[in-house]
Amino acid sequence: MNGFKRLLIGLLAVVSLSTAAQAETLVNGAGATFPYPLYAKWFSEYAKVNSAVKFNYQSIGSGGGIKQITARTVDFGASDKALSDAELKAAPGELLHIPTVMGAVVVTYNIPGVTKGLRLTPETLSNIYLGKITKWNDPKLTKDNPKVALPNAPIVVVHRTDGSGTTSIFTNYLSKVSPEWQKAVGTGTSVRWPVGLGGKGNEGVAGQIKNTKYSIGYVELAYATENKLAFADLKNKAGQFVTPSIASTSAAAAGAAKSMPKDYRVDLVNQPGKNAYPIAGFTWLLVYKNQADKIKGKALVDFLRWELAKGQKMAPALLYAPLPANVNAMVVKTISTIKY
């Protein structure tokens, strides 16, 4: 009997250790702040579906995510900027871009007494960030906003200080609409800003805007809404002033979705279309096609399948646009090529 008890205790210990090992499957990721509110929701909800897997995501900016996945210090990266051919070549294995959702980069502001209705053209926005328009009641601004009481106050420009996919989308837009910006500053996750104060992450910029009167900055739509910040309507390529929303973000992707490349590296900035919001973009998870760890690789693939089947439905509530149906179907096939 004592021998049987020892055997039973031993078996229970093995089962306990096995269960603990399953519970301790930790998948580490880092990168974009742009989709963080949604990713946090996904990881929380997925834990209810599969309690044996835990996701640890560090919202440090796309630049940091690219560096960490390239160094293989995380299991997946996240970026709102598609990697260049050179960046892909620098990775120690084949990296896949897995699009998750689309989002809008909004131009948010803090003008006492002005909570809505501000309109910005490509020219005025680029000139504000170039430091050429410095007052809220500049004639170029008042011309486009005859019904808005713009004050005689200096414009406080706010931008990101960290390597940022949101910055990449925003500066890509400014480069497309302003030859002067393209020549003087250009596009990138980090640029030499002509003017302004810095904030780290979408959270930092939103905080700066909220706490600084007469300021203007750029954040993902969810951050502006969460912080109850006003945001501007922007004049798009078709000449229409468009409010950032899920619908106008999806409209920006309509053309690109029809001819989606296999690597998903597409640009949604300044797209044609009457209802297209001009500063929109995909956000991607960066995943190695050949996974180094079988257990983590399977956990990651299982999560990606769940995210496409179930997680997409959670996106609109947090102000992200779900993937177009044809793109979702493409991504399902791409995920099936990941080896672990």
Side-chain angles (χ1 to χ4, degrees), residues 1 12 63 96 98 139 143 160 163 167 189 191 194 201 230 250 253 261 266 303 309 313 315 334:
M1 188 67 174
L12 288 172
L96 301 176
I98 306 294
K143 179 184 175 183
R160 289 280 286 271
T167 294
T189 54
V191 298
S250 296
V266 294
F303 166 76
K313 298 171 186 176
T334 300

Side-chain angles (χ1 to χ4, degrees), residues 37 48 193 336:
K48 300 173 185 177
W193 297 97
S336 69

